[in-house]
Every structure is written in C-alpha cells, then in structure tokens.
Amino acid sequence: MREPIVLDGSRVAAEIKANLAGRVERLKELGIVPCLATILVGGDPASATYVKMKANACRRLGIESVRVELPETTTTEELLEAIGRLNEDPAVHGILLQHPVPGPIDERAAFDAIAIGKDVDGVTMLGFALNTFGAAAYPSCTPAAILTILDHYGIGIEGRHAVVVGRSPILGKPVSAMLLNRNATVTICHSKTTDLAEMVALGDIVVAAVGKPRFIQGEWIKPGAVVLDAGYNPGNVGDVDYEAACRNASAITPVPAGVGPVTISMLLKHTVEAAERAAGLR
Ligand code: NAP
C-alpha cells in the first residue's frame, strides 16, 4: 500500500486566513473592526488555553477579541445576563462560550441564549436546525473544518459511505448532517454501537469524533478510505491510531496540524462574515 496523502490542516488554515486578511482590511476601511467576544467561566486550564489560542488567532488577523472572564461560582442567570449584554452590543459580531462550563450551569440554556446572528461557533439549537436543513449562516466550526478539508483536497463526498464515530451536538451530529446534505450515505456510531469495527470498515470516509486517544484501530480502516481525525487528546494525540491507519488510508489528517487549525480558521471566517453582514456587505 502506498503512503497516504497527509491532509495538511495548517496549510488549509493558512490559505483561509490569507483570504480573510483582505476582507478584514476592507471592513476597517469602512470603519468596522470585526470583534469576537469570548466567555470563559471558571479556571479550567485547558479551557483557558483554548480561549487564549482563539484570541491570539483573532489578533494576528486584525480581529478584535473581547474577553469576558467569570468566576467558577457564576450562576446560569448571571451567565445569561453576560451573554445578553454581548448580544446587545453592536461592536460585538461573534460570541464564543468556551465549553464545558462548570457543572451547575445549564450549558444548553447558555448556548441557546446566544443571538443566532452572533452564533459564530454554531452551538445554538437554532443554528443546529438550520445547519441540518442546509441553511446555517455559521455551521459548527469543527464540522465545517472537516468539510473544508475534504473540499480543499478535492475529495468527493457524494455517493460515498461516510462513517462518523461520535454523535455530540457540536461535532458528530452536525458533521453527519453536513455529509448527508452533500449526498453521502452516512452511518453514525456511538458508545452503544455493538459492531464498531465492522461499521468503520464500511467507510469510504471515516470521521473520528470520540475523545479517546488512538481509539479507532488501523485495521478497521478500509483500504483506500479517507480518515478525518477530529480528536484532540492530552499529549497531542488524536482519536485514530495514526501510524496503523496510514497502512490502509488513502488520505488522513494528522494530529496536531489536521482538523484543529482549520477549526480555528472557521471561527475567524464566521466572525468576519458576521461583521460583513453588520456592515451590509452580505
Ligand atoms: P463528546 O461530547 O464527549 O462526544 C464523544 C462521542 O463519542 C459521544 O457521542 C460518544 O457516544 C462517543 N463514544 C464514546 N465512547 C465511544 C465508544 N466506545 N464507541 C463509540 N463511540 C463512543 O466529545 P466531542 O466534544 O464531540 O469531541 C470529540 C473529540 O473531538 C475530542 O477528542 C475533542 O477534544 C475533539 N474536538 C476537537 C475539536 C477541534 O477543533 N479539533 C473541536 C471539538 C472537539 P454517546 O453519545 O453514546 O455517549
């Protein structure tokens, strides 16, 4: 078997950001600075790192980043009020609530409090429904990244069997809907799936969205399949046993530098688009 094509997310992300830079400049000429507000509740170090990475990515592109930090003891009502203030603020174009939020908070209520026009991370139920109907302004960022990588490399989706492992509201379910909307035949697997290896082996396209390091075994992958590993586990390890999967896959995303950087560039793209809408350019 030949070496697979490594689907280089860093390169895809760099191209997207290069395209966005001109659009940010054009907005600035009109006196509008695209602005993403990030909300971090509590002191989880991993969440703090993710928020910082996203804010830095914004700044590098000339997008303003407003950071709202709330204590661990924040109630659902207090978080909803903070989101409400950002919804009302015309200078804020996108809102990102870093998840998970501390246990006692109603995370779903908080996500759904984000105004649909500012839901650049694609986390609201309304955004999910629009996405499933193929009409979302801003689909969930990681699913959008996966589709963008496939399109960038000219990998066909229509008529192919896509097997998605994971069904979370931000990843497994929306990416399944997006692949279905692009005329793939989609199988969705989850923790109660009894014959996972056989299911994965059916996939022309395999999406790993499990959250377990090296969980998808190389020998499960059908020879010639395309593998997209959304997993990001401690130690920079994906959800796929990469080396073993390389023996069967025709193309595969590495971890890191695969889906992750494109996900951040999707967040930037959606924020720029939200600012363009606010400026009447879209
Ligand atoms: P999640 O909410 O924990 O969902 C995990 C999914 O995996 C669930 O649907 C679960 O099934 C399924 N699952 C768990 N054990 C399984 C098993 N033994 N067999 C089959 N399915 C199993 O995770 P998530 O938020 O979707 O994230 C998934 C991964 O993607 C994580 O590694 C996360 O770090 C990564 N991620 C990456 C990015 C990025 O930008 N690259 C963004 C978001 C997430 P049930 O529904 O039955 O419980």
Side-chain angles (χ1 to χ4, degrees):
M1 197 75 191
R2 283 188 313 160
E3 290 284 305
I5 296 165
V6 177
L7 304 171
D8 183 347
S10 296
R11 208 178 79 192
V12 177
E15 282 184 24
I16 293 165
K17 285 187 273 190
N19 171 274
L20 288 176
R23 288 161 64 181
V24 171
E25 278 315 305
R26 165 130 173 71
L27 281 163
K28 286 187 175 169
E29 282 162 18
L30 298 172
I32 293 163
V33 181
C35 175
L36 175 71
T38 60
I39 309 173
L40 177 64
V41 189
D44 176 57
S47 292
T49 304
Y50 291 140
V51 167
K52 204 167 152 193
M53 272 168 55
K54 290 165 189 170
N56 288 343
C58 281
R59 266 183 230 111
R60 279 196 293 271
L61 203 65
I63 296 174
E64 197 181 330
S65 161
V66 173
R67 197 164 163 176
V68 177
E69 287 182 19
L70 299 171
E72 190 84 26
T73 52
T74 302
T75 63
T76 301
E77 289 66 33
E78 287 165 343
L79 179 54
L80 296 185
E81 277 167 29
I83 293 168
R85 281 193 291 276
L86 295 171
N87 283 340
E88 295 302 317
D89 186 343
V92 170
H93 302 106
I95 301 171
L96 176 127
L97 171 61
Q98 184 63 40
H99 91 121
V101 294
I105 293 177
D106 183 343
E107 184 175 89
R108 178 43 48 201
F111 278 150
D112 286 331
I114 298 171
I116 186 71
K118 298 191 180 188
D119 180 21
V120 290
D121 204 21
V123 294
T124 60
M125 278 205 272
L126 179 55
F128 177 86
L130 290 168
N131 186 45
T132 302
F133 277 81
Y138 315 117
S140 287
C141 290
T142 306
I146 287 168
L147 275 279
T148 298
I149 291 169
L150 289 171
D151 288 342
H152 181 94
Y153 281 91
I155 295 168
I157 297 173
E158 182 165 311
R160 304 187 84 184
H161 192 155
V163 177
V164 178
V165 188
R167 56 172 169 180
S168 72
I170 56 145
L171 218 175
K173 274 184 190 151
V175 80
S176 301
M178 289 162 85
L179 290 163
L180 181 63
N181 288 340
R182 293 281 298 271
N183 296 322
T185 300
V186 182
T187 298
I188 308 172
C189 303
H190 47 79
S191 66
K192 306 294 185 285
T193 298
T194 49
D195 42 5
L196 187 62
E198 288 89 336
M199 289 293 153
V200 171
L202 295 173
D204 303 311
I205 296 170
V206 175
V207 177
V210 194
K212 293 191 171 167
R214 298 196 182 95
F215 177 74
I216 305 291
Q217 300 299 296
E219 65 266 26
W220 300 354
I221 304 295
K222 178 160 93 173
V226 175
V227 178
L228 296 123
D229 187 352
Y232 191 67
N233 304 291
N236 271 345
V237 175
D239 287 349
V240 175
D241 184 347
Y242 181 82
E243 285 75 22
C246 281
R247 289 197 274 276
N248 282 334
S250 62
I252 186 166
T253 55
V255 177
V259 174
V262 186
T263 296
I264 293 183
S265 70
M266 289 295 109
L267 180 67
L268 303 174
K269 177 170 173 261
H270 295 168
T271 303
V272 171
E273 284 175 8
E276 288 172 343
R277 278 206 173 82
L281 295 177
R282 298 179 73 87

